[in-house]
């Protein structure tokens, strides 16, 4: 092994440079020398120069000026130069460079060289960086080598063919026959190459796959030979005979046995034998067992064999080696849908893995645990998952939170448990939950009317201790707004009641309003809740009035708008206030409607703004997250001015549609002609306005004009629209 | 138009499906294509200095540098007792530390991680046998030899020879060939030829 002295000297010089700057200087000098040498005629030191350039390239410095030198060196008759030239080609050239095409001819010549080591260089380079054109050019050569050469070349040609097939799928046809015959060879390297090639051919073409199914008995035979045969020193790894070949054969069997009963039967015995006989104390044995398990689970194996495979995975779960535990969980994840009961047996071990130190193992354990939650184990699993949530790494928190919510929704044993679970998640990981959590929880709470008192008490207490978790604060504010009166009664069946006065409750809401931790939408919730309490408390209505009027000049536009409207509700429309702020009815359960990022709006708002200019629809878009919740009233007078009265009545038509009837009447002395009604809705809602019954309002209310409007939404709740009345008096 | 709620689950899942496949999507029946391929192998020191890089997929120099930088950072941040496998982008990374060098392979989705560990181990054994108790300095000063050994063991990302003995024999022969070729070229004086100097 003669050292290339100039190369090693340069490496030493670079390494002894003390600063980055010094190193750059050394390298610049060397590169200049190398470039000069390249320009000179052949001087015997070419391979050293190129090697030096490759070293510099590995350090990260530009070396593109060496590309042509590589091409020249590959064409050289000297082996040492060819060797370094090809290495340079693999490092500096790739199929995206134009210069790579120039070496095609050299490779072609070298493929037919009498010296096998030169052939080997060409094959290696072609398999590493051959472009599609090069592959097409040289495929016939490779096929020739596959048939007639020694085993050293055959094994390399086989893998070269694999690369060609990956690059140009159609060329697979060319190699099919040769691949078949290679299976019968004795040399392990050749058989290995053949198996890899056949695997690739079968994956690319289903006809080829059909043809190669006939080789299953041969493969089984080869495999048996490896498993049963005695110690073979050449290929032995810790007692396993040629594990690399075994794994490859198992993989090919998997592809051949998929969806095919006959093939799966033929390999059944062999798989059972490998599964039972392979020594699992070392990694290499486990590698073969792992591949066996993957194969068994993918083909149409009989149930006994499947049970055996799952049991192997179960054993893996108990292995001390973390790697083995990790891959066991990966595999179990794949079959948890189909072999659910088998995987359930190992639930305990899987849940223990949640406490592992490694984040990858934790992630796997989490996914698998969530998949294993069922109606029978929901309580114990949830305990584990909740304790995991409090200690899990931050990148897993939102996944855990949403997994817990899904599981709770599907398998909750009782409403109270469901609400408790969600509240627990919100207190521990409130910042990582999805946006839909808040409306979903509100819906859940509204529908559980028997627990309103319990829920509001719990949320009130949560709010007293911590107002930083926004989703929790939003739900709590909403709840207090709706059910604050239950707090004040001082009674509760399900939990210890609080002894509060109205002032305390308003204090809490005001704290939320004023806190810098509250987001704008949270403050909106708090303001609305405060407003709603005005109908539920008796003594401190003035305090609420003053809060609302203060926020009428708030710098936040949304908050200001709300405050102004509520002010109006106090002043001009006080007679409507009680009706408008009535308690919410039971919201009907809508399906998992997460419209691609839009939040569900649960508001039924009748905006009363006669005379004001029409507001653009998107000002009340979902993103504002202002869930102004009023109750639906059968008929509401929305406009009453100058003798013209417009009333609105709603009727639920279907799950996603609502019929609104607008009725207009005129109590003045003169007729009104050219009367039109216009309506605007936000983007999540569609509007169908039917033709009005007429466009003139006769005097003294002798007749009315009605118009039907059909409103459709994605979620069946949102309906925010405005009406504009534009009469043209005659 | 109404974007029925039922369909939305499909909409959300679809992008994930493509990411998992990563490589070429072939017209198949109901099952996924099994992808087995080693995309690249990197050797780097504990300070993050690259000692060997072998790429089996065509990427520009810039992309290679970016991938190397990110991956080296990710692997070096792992604690000693952690799993040898990690998911990175849409690949599986299998890595193992031998003395001061990290050996890192990127394999595709369906590949067997445990056998990849064995491949890494086999490569280390070959280096060890060749250099006689190999250390990082050997690989630094004889990097081209490390490449030659790797190219005798893996071809196009797949193992080509499963017998340690045969790989080492082939390297030996190739080295001899190189020596003979060099000998034949060195111009010798007439005196040297007849053995007088």
């Amino acid at each position: 092994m003669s050292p290339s002295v100039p190369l090693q000297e340069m490496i030493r010089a670079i390494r002894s440079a003390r600063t980055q700057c010094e190193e750059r200087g050394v390298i610049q000098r060397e590169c200049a020398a190398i470039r000069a040498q390249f320009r000179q005629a052949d001087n015997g030191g070419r391979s050293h120069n190129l090697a030096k350039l490759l070293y510099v390239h590995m350090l990260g410095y530009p070396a593109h000026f060496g590309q042509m030198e590589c091409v020249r060196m590959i064409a050289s008759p000297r082996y040492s130069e060819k060797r370094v030239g090809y290495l340079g080609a693999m490092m500096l050239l790739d199929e995206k460079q134009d210069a790579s095409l120039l070496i095609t001819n050299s490779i072609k010549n070298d493929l037919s060289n009498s010296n096998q080591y030169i052939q080997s260089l060409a094959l290696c380079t072609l398999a590493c960086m051959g472009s599609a054109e090069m592959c097409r050019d040289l495929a016939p050569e490779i096929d020739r080598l596959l048939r007639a050469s020694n085993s050293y070349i055959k094994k390399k040609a086989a893998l070269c063919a694999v690369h060609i097939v990956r690059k140009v799928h159609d060329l697979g046809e060319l190699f099919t026959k040769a691949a078949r015959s290679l299976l019968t060879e004795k040399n392990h390297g050749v058989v290995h190459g053949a198996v890899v090639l056949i695997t690739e051919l079968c994956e690319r073409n289903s006809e080829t796959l059909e043809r190669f199914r006939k080789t299953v008995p041969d493969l089984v035979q080869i495999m048996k030979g490896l498993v049963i045969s005695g110690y073979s020193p050449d290929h032995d790894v810790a007692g396993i005979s040629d594990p690399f070949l075994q794994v490859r054969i198992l993989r090919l069997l998997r592809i051949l046995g998929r969806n095919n009963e006959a093939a799966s039967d033929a390999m059944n015995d062999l798989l059972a034998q490998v599964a039972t006989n392979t020594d699992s104390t070392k990694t290499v044995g486990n590698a073969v067992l792992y591949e066996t398990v993957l194969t068994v689970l993918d083909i149409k194996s009989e149930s006994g064999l499947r049970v055996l495979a799952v049991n192997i995975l179960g054993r893996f779960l108990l292995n001390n080696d973390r790697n083995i535990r990790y891959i066991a969980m990966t595999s179990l994840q794949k079959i948890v849908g189909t072999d659910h009961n088998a995987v359930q047996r190992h639930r305990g071990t899987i849940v223990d893995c949640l406490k592992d130190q490694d984040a990858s193992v934790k992630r796997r354990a989490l996914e698998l645990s969530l998949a294993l939650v069922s109606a029978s184990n929901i309580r114990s699993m949830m305990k584990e998952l909740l304790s995991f949530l409090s200690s899990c790494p931050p990148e897993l928190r939102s996944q855990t939170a949403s997994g817990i919510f899904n599981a709770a929704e599907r398998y909750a044993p009782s409403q109270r448990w469901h609400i408790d679970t969600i509240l627990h998640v919100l207190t521990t990981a409130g910042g990582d939950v999805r946006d839909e959590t808040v409306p979903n929880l509100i819906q859940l709470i509204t529908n559980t009317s028997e627990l309103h008192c319990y829920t509001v008490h719990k949320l009130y207490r949560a709010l007293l201790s911590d107002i930083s978790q926004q989703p929790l604060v939003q739900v709590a504010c909403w709840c207090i707004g709706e059910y604050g009166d239950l707090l004040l009664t001082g009674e509760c069946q399900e939990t210890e009641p609080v002894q509060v006065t109205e002032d305390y409750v308003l204090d809490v809401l005001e704290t939320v309003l004023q806190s810098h931790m509250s987001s704008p939408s949270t403050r909106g919730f708090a303001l609305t809740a405060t407003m709603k309490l005005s109908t539920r408390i008796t003594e401190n209505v003035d305090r609420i009035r003053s809060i609302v009027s203060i926020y009428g000049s708030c710098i936040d536009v949304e908050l200001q708008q709300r405050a102004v409207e509520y002010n109006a509700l106090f002043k001009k429309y006080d007679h409507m206030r009680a009706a408008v702020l009535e308690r919410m009815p039971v919201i009907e359960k809508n399906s998992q409607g997460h419209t691609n990022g839009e939040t569900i709006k649960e508001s039924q708002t009748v905006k009363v703004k006669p005379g004001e200019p029409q507001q653009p629809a998107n000002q009340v878009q979902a993103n504002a997250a202002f869930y102004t919740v009023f109750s639906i009233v059968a008929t509401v007078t929305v406009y009453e001015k100058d003798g013209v009265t417009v009333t609105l009545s709603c009727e639920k038509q279907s799950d996603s549609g609502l019929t609104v009837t607008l009725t207009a009447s005129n109590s003045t002395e003169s007729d009104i002609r050219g009367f039109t009604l216009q309506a605007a809705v936000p983007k999540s809602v569609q509007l169908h306005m039917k033709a009005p019954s007429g466009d003139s309002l006769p005097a003294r209310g002798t007749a009315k004009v009605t118009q039907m409007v059909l409103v459709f939404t994605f979620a069946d709740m949102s309906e925010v629209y405005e009406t504009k009345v534009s009469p043209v008096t005659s | 138009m109404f974007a029925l709620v039922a369909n939305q689950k499909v909409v959300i899942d679809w992008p994930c499906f493509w990411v998992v496949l990563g490589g070429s999507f072939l017209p198949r029946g109901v099952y996924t294509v099994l992808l087995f391929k080693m995309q690249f192998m990197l050797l780097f020191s504990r300070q993050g200095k690259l000692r060997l890089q072998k790429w089996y997929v065509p990427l520009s120099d810039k992309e290679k540098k970016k991938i190397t930088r990110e991956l080296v950072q990710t692997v070096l941040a792992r604690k000693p007792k952690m799993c040898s496998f990690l998911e990175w982008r849409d690949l599986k990374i299998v890595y193992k530390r031998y003395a001061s060098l990290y050996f890192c392979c990127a394999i595709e989705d369906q590949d067997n991680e445990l056998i990849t560990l064995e491949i890494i181990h086999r490569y280390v054994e070959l280096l060890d046998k060749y250099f006689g108790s190999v250390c990082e300095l050997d690989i630094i000063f004889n990097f081209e030899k490390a490449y030659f050994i790797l190219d005798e063991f893996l071809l196009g990302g797949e193992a080509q020879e499963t017998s340690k003995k045969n790989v080492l024999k082939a390297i030996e022969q190739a080295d001899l060939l190189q020596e003979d070729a060099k000998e034949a070229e060195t111009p010798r004086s007439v005196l040297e030829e007849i053995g007088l100097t």
Side-chain angles (χ1 to χ4, degrees), chain A residues 1-2 4 7-8 11-12 15 23 48 51 54-55 57-58 60 78-80 83-84 87 90-91 94-96 115 117 120 123-124 127-128 152 155-156 159-160 166-167 169 187-189 192 196 199 202-204 206 209 234-237 242-245 247-248 251 254-255 258-259 283-284 286-287 290-291 298 322-324 326-327 334 358-361 363-364 591-596 686 712 714, chain B residues 1-3 5 8-9 11-12 24 26 28 30-38 49-61 63-65 78-79 81-87 92 109-115 117-119 122 130-131 137 139-145 147-148 151-166 169-171 173-175 177-179 181-182 185:
Chain A
M1 177 175 78
S2 69
S4 55
L7 167 66
Q8 299 205 334
I11 296 177
R12 217 164 276 137
R15 282 171 62 79
E23 181 184 290
H48 296 312
L54 295 179
Y55 183 81
H57 172 75
M58 190 154 63
R78 297 188 197 130
Y79 179 70
S80 55
R83 213 180 187 194
V84 183
L87 179 63
M90 286 190 277
M91 284 176 77
D94 56 54
E95 62 181 47
K96 296 196 177 143
N115 186 318
Y117 296 104
S120 143
L123 285 166
C124 183
C128 179
Y152 179 76
K155 72 181 191 223
K156 292 179 190 263
L159 292 176
C160 210
R166 281 180 183 155
K167 277 273 178 241
H169 303 330
N187 182 301
H188 280 228
H192 185 275
V196 177
T199 311
C202 291
E203 276 287 271
R204 304 278 167 189
S206 43
L209 177 64
D234 276 352
H235 299 107
D236 182 271
V237 180
D242 207 341
F244 303 105
L245 181 56
V247 164
R248 280 319 223 164
R251 210 175 275 174
R254 182 154 130 218
I255 291 172
R258 266 202 298 204
N259 290 332
T283 312
V284 63
N286 286 327
Y290 179 43
E291 196 68 39
D298 221 1
R322 192 172 267 132
N323 293 336
I324 311 275
Y326 176 87
I327 57 146
K334 291 193 196 133
D358 188 320
S360 327
V361 174
R363 182 194 301 271
R364 287 269 168 263
S591 33
Q592 293 264 295
H594 303 160
T595 54
N596 285 340
Q686 264 215 337
F712 296 104
F714 292 130
Chain B
M1 200 159 59
F2 285 91
V5 165
Q8 281 154 23
K9 266 221 154 41
V11 170
I12 290 170
S24 54
L26 306 160
R28 293 293 283 174
V30 289
Y31 41 87
T32 52
V33 173
L34 298 184
L35 299 169
F36 317 106
K37 188 181 156 84
M38 187 185 299
K49 290 213 109 118
L50 202 58
R51 298 300 177 205
L52 186 145
Q53 50 173 337
K54 189 78 188 178
W55 298 83
Y56 295 109
V57 284
L59 290 167
S60 72
D61 245 358
E63 287 167 323
K64 285 183 192 168
K65 283 217 179 99
R78 306 267 291 180
K79 297 199 257 303
K81 284 283 195 307
M82 288 174 95
C83 202
S84 282
F85 316 128
L86 61 106
E87 278 127 35
K92 292 204 261 206
D109 192 43
Q110 300 286 336
D111 224 336
N112 182 331
E113 296 97 320
L114 294 178
I115 205 75
L117 272 179
E118 287 300 310
I119 288 185
R122 174 58 66 90
Y130 183 81
F131 287 108
L137 283 176
I139 300 186
I140 295 172
F141 282 96
N142 300 287
F143 74 96
E144 80 275 24
K145 303 263 169 40
Y147 274 102
F148 295 149
D151 286 337
E152 262 322 308
F153 174 44
L154 299 178
L155 197 88
E158 307 281 356
Q160 54 176 294
E161 178 57 66
T162 53
S163 152
K164 229 188 318 190
K165 197 177 79 181
N166 288 351
K169 208 160 63 174
I171 303 268
Q173 297 284 49
D175 281 345
L177 187 59
Q178 186 162 340
E179 285 303 307
K182 277 226 190 88
E185 293 152 30

Side-chain angles (χ1 to χ4, degrees), chain A residues 100-162:
Chain A
S100 61
L101 284 174
L102 297 172
I103 62 174
T104 314
N105 212 32
S106 300
I107 294 183
K108 196 177 194 149
N109 292 336
D110 285 335
L111 282 175
S112 356
N113 196 299
S114 51
N115 186 318
Q116 67 179 17
Y117 296 104
I118 294 183
Q119 283 178 305
S120 143
L121 289 175
L123 285 166
C124 183
T125 309
L126 182 60
C128 179
M129 45 80 72
S131 66
E133 294 89 51
M134 287 165 73
C135 289
R136 256 188 271 265
D137 270 341
L138 299 168
E141 270 301 304
I142 303 295
D143 185 45
R144 192 181 58 80
L145 289 173
L146 272 179
R147 294 164 197 275
S149 54
N150 60 23
S151 37
Y152 179 76
I153 293 298
K154 269 194 191 151
K155 72 181 191 223
K156 292 179 190 263
L159 292 176
C160 210
V162 171

